[in-house]
Amino acid sequence: MVWTLAVLFGISAILLILSSIKSLKSAKEEQKRMDLAHIALVKDINDLQDSIRTIELSMEIILKEAGIQLSQSELQTLREVLDLYKRGYSIESIAKKKQVSESEISQMLAPFQIQPEERGKVANEI
């Protein structure tokens, strides 16, 4: 009886050691996988930051070449108004949201609105 208990105790100790080794290996593999995911995420963030920097520099060059003089607040307001317009907001709702007149919003959006072609109008009149 004593031998049986000793053998069972020994087997349980061996199984406990093997289980600990296996869980340690799986924890190391999981840590390695998380490290690779973290590295990929950091690389993607750096790529996005580089893209944003490039876009900002391109925008600055285009504004300077076009001779447009806008302050940062004016540029921010124009960006927000254009974003709202592109998302389908009406000029009236944008004017209410920004607390400016509809005519000012229309003037801001004029260069970005698609003008209907006059040719189609003439063809329908004939």
Side-chain angles (χ1 to χ4, degrees), residues 16-73:
L16 178 66
I17 291 170
L18 290 175
S19 174
S20 297
I21 292 171
K22 185 171 180 158
S23 68
L24 184 62
K25 283 182 182 179
S26 68
K28 283 182 180 180
E29 289 174 10
E30 182 68 22
Q31 182 65 36
K32 184 184 278 187
R33 191 178 64 78
M34 288 178 66
D35 287 345
L36 289 175
H38 181 263
I39 289 170
L41 181 64
V42 167
K43 183 184 179 304
D44 288 345
I45 289 172
N46 286 338
D47 290 345
L48 285 173
Q49 286 175 337
D50 289 343
S51 296
I52 289 170
R53 209 171 302 117
T54 301
I55 290 170
E56 286 174 343
L57 290 172
S58 297
M59 185 181 71
E60 188 176 329
I61 291 168
I62 290 170
L63 288 175
K64 192 166 277 249
E65 288 291 320
I68 299 172
Q69 300 294 325
L70 293 176
S71 68
Q72 286 295 337
S73 62

